[in-house]
Amino acid sequence: MANLPQLYRFCFLMTGESSKAQDVFQDTVREAAFLVAKGEAPADRYWFFREARWRCLDVVARGVQPEEGTNEACEISPQAPEQIEQLEPEQLAIWISAAPEPQRSILALYYLDEFTYREMMSMLGLKLHELSRAIASGRREFQAWLDATVPVAAEK
Amino acid sequence: MKRLSRGLRALADCAPIENVTAPDRRMRTAVSRAKRMDDFAAQQSFDQAIANLVQAIPVSREIEEWFANEKMAEGAKRSWRKTAFHPAILAIGIALAVIAVVAWIKFDEQMHAFPGTATAKKLLNVAAMTRPSDFEPVQAEAGTLSDLFFMKYRLEHYDVPREFSQQRTIGVRKFDDDEAGEVAQIGLAEKRMQLFLFPASRDSKTGRPEEFEGWRYIEQEGWIGAVQARNGILFMAAVRGTKKDLAPYLAKQ
């Protein structure tokens, strides 16, 4: 069974906006209820996240697109947890939702801490090296963004 | 400090954030090795901080009301009947059944195969194509032709078994075949039956003729053959029809 609070958080990370996340979440759960009524209930919890993912990508594609370009990257700082503590969840969601696919979906699923790496590979149709590369580069890029956004903590 | 291998590094990059036991052995190995590296602790703290931030994502009251639908979204369990009639399962089932039937046919063929099966099948084709005019006319009892084969063609032990020795012949011929060697073919008056005598194949190691006990049946394109081995020579009675057309002759003692 899908963990619905986690499903909503996934939508939020993918879209970066609570209103869009709410729409996608509701459409996904409504679709599941519709299938249940037809006697074709979703086979597993992955269905919810797959369905929500496509809906999120569709919604985001219709909105304003982030500029393409290579993000700066730097090694993870020991002060990173303190920097992250100063962030609002919306800031994280905006950053993740601006990441290119499939990194956006990978980071959203990974930081839900809901799925194993095998489950993520299966859901996203990726190989291990693609998954690990996206997560590792996501960390370094987020650290660079953190250093630019929360400089006070970085200077400590 | 020793570096992690590429594969373990890739796994460590996807390590579970909560300090739970990793789901598989390779991941457990990767995590335990990575824990000896300096940067892995930083990675875990980093991931943990982001995961905490994710869990802090506010959920509005409006959304919380939808959580009541969790049971509804769970749905009914798929019944075994529905699962069994799913097109994919059905297709796999049919494919497995076809494979099983083909395997059984092949197994059955192997069980009934005998040394010289291929040659005997080839001679059944010859029987199907032979016309009565192809024979050199000889009207006698089949059992008396051994002398003819020996005297005229130097063919030793080309003896017709007693089950067919009383049959009247309409003609004989001898021909050489690439696989079978020297073949004696006898046309019978009854049921336009044909008898074949040809050398048994030889064991490649010992050089001895490969023989077998009793009668063996083979079928080929509407023809049935009953084959027996004796003194290094295979005898085959062939007739158009089925096993029951030949069975009465073989029952004769």
Side-chain angles (χ1 to χ4, degrees):
Chain A
M1 174 58 209
N3 182 339
L4 291 185
Q6 290 289 71
L7 181 67
Y8 171 73
R9 291 186 185 108
F10 173 71
C11 297
F12 187 64
L13 293 175
M14 287 289 287
T15 57
E17 279 182 46
S18 60
S19 61
K20 285 180 182 172
Q22 193 167 322
D23 287 345
V24 171
F25 171 83
Q26 288 174 350
D27 288 347
T28 306
V29 177
R30 202 177 287 125
E31 176 70 17
F34 178 67
L35 290 176
V36 170
K38 277 200 335 184
E40 296 168 6
D44 48 44
R45 65 189 180 126
Y46 310 126
W47 179 92
F48 288 85
F49 288 87
R50 276 200 199 98
E51 182 73 17
R53 181 190 174 214
W54 293 123
R55 287 176 189 274
C56 288
L57 294 181
D58 190 41
V59 165
V60 172
R62 278 189 264 130
V64 180
Q65 300 299 304
E67 277 180 34
E68 280 190 29
T70 47
N71 289 335
E72 282 182 28
C74 63
E75 288 308 309
I76 296 171
S77 151
Q79 284 81 41
E82 294 155 38
Q83 289 174 288
I84 293 166
E85 268 176 26
Q86 295 178 51
L87 290 177
E88 290 298 322
E90 287 80 4
Q91 290 173 285
L92 173 69
I94 289 167
W95 190 87
I96 288 181
S97 67
E101 269 299 309
Q103 192 183 37
R104 182 192 322 169
S105 302
I106 292 170
L107 293 175
L109 286 175
Y110 181 68
Y111 286 110
L112 282 180
D113 202 17
E114 176 83 10
F115 301 101
T116 66
Y117 74 101
R118 284 185 190 280
E119 288 172 324
M120 285 190 281
M121 281 158 57
S122 160
M123 284 168 69
L124 302 174
L126 296 172
K127 295 195 170 91
L128 176 62
H129 68 90
E130 293 169 317
L131 189 76
S132 71
R133 197 180 302 151
I135 294 172
S137 64
R139 281 190 196 106
R140 288 195 298 271
E141 288 163 13
F142 191 67
Q143 180 65 62
W145 179 84
L146 268 182
D147 291 343
T149 313
V150 197
V152 181
E155 282 166 11
K156 259 187 191 177
Chain B
M1 191 172 281
K2 211 177 165 187
R3 287 173 65 87
L4 281 179
S5 73
R6 218 159 148 193
L8 292 181
R9 179 71 256 174
L11 283 167
D13 280 335
C14 314
I17 298 171
E18 274 295 328
N19 219 357
V20 290
T21 313
D24 62 48
R25 199 162 59 85
R26 267 182 66 77
M27 178 58 92
R28 284 197 293 276
T29 308
V31 170
S32 75
R33 299 254 178 96
K35 276 181 177 167
R36 295 177 212 158
M37 319 295 288
D38 297 332
D39 55 351
F40 189 67
Q43 174 190 312
Q44 284 201 307
S45 315
F46 180 92
D47 288 343
Q48 187 63 63
I50 295 187
N52 290 342
L53 192 60
V54 168
Q55 293 309 310
I57 290 172
V59 179
S60 70
R61 210 177 172 77
E62 203 178 342
I63 286 292
E64 273 177 356
E65 284 170 11
W66 283 76
F67 297 164
N69 291 326
E70 269 187 336
K71 282 273 178 246
M72 182 179 67
E74 192 171 1
K77 264 195 169 177
R78 194 181 272 267
S79 70
W80 71 266
R81 189 186 293 270
K82 201 167 179 183
T83 306
F85 283 98
H86 188 279
I89 303 287
L90 213 56
I92 291 168
I94 291 169
L96 288 177
V98 170
I99 290 168
V101 168
V102 171
W104 172 252
I105 290 169
K106 287 283 172 199
F107 176 73
D108 194 52
E109 263 180 22
Q110 286 298 313
M111 287 295 286
H112 292 96
F114 54 87
T117 305
T119 309
K121 282 194 170 181
K122 189 178 175 187
L123 292 177
L124 276 184
N125 283 337
V126 172
M129 289 186 292
T130 305
R131 295 176 192 164
S133 58
D134 295 334
F135 290 116
E136 182 185 323
V138 174
Q139 294 189 353
E141 284 192 353
T144 63
L145 296 179
S146 306
D147 293 340
L148 172 80
F149 291 136
F150 182 68
M151 300 292 283
K152 193 172 179 183
Y153 304 114
R154 300 276 168 203
L155 299 175
E156 265 188 281
H157 302 305
Y158 274 50
D159 305 322
V160 175
R162 61 183 173 183
E163 288 89 338
F164 295 90
S165 62
Q166 307 290 313
Q167 295 293 326
R168 297 295 299 174
T169 65
I170 57 166
V172 298
R173 70 166 177 163
K174 179 251 175 188
F175 62 92
D176 289 322
D177 182 83
D178 293 343
E179 290 174 27
E182 292 182 303
V183 181
Q185 186 180 5
I186 306 167
L188 298 185
E190 195 166 307
K191 290 185 180 175
R192 297 185 69 181
M193 196 184 292
Q194 294 178 35
L195 310 179
F196 291 86
L197 290 149
F198 54 99
S201 56
R202 290 182 178 272
D203 187 293
S204 56
K205 283 183 187 165
T206 63
R208 286 185 177 173
E210 293 179 314
E211 295 197 352
F212 49 89
E213 289 295 314
W215 290 96
R216 302 292 175 91
Y217 287 99
I218 53 163
E219 283 180 87
Q220 179 89 337
E221 293 176 6
W223 281 71
I224 181 87
V227 187
Q228 188 188 55
R230 202 166 56 182
N231 297 326
I233 300 297
L234 295 187
F235 167 83
M236 177 170 75
V239 70
R240 184 186 289 280
T242 60
K243 208 170 170 178
K244 68 180 179 186
D245 293 305
L246 273 178
Y249 299 96
L250 306 188
K252 284 179 189 171
Q253 292 296 316

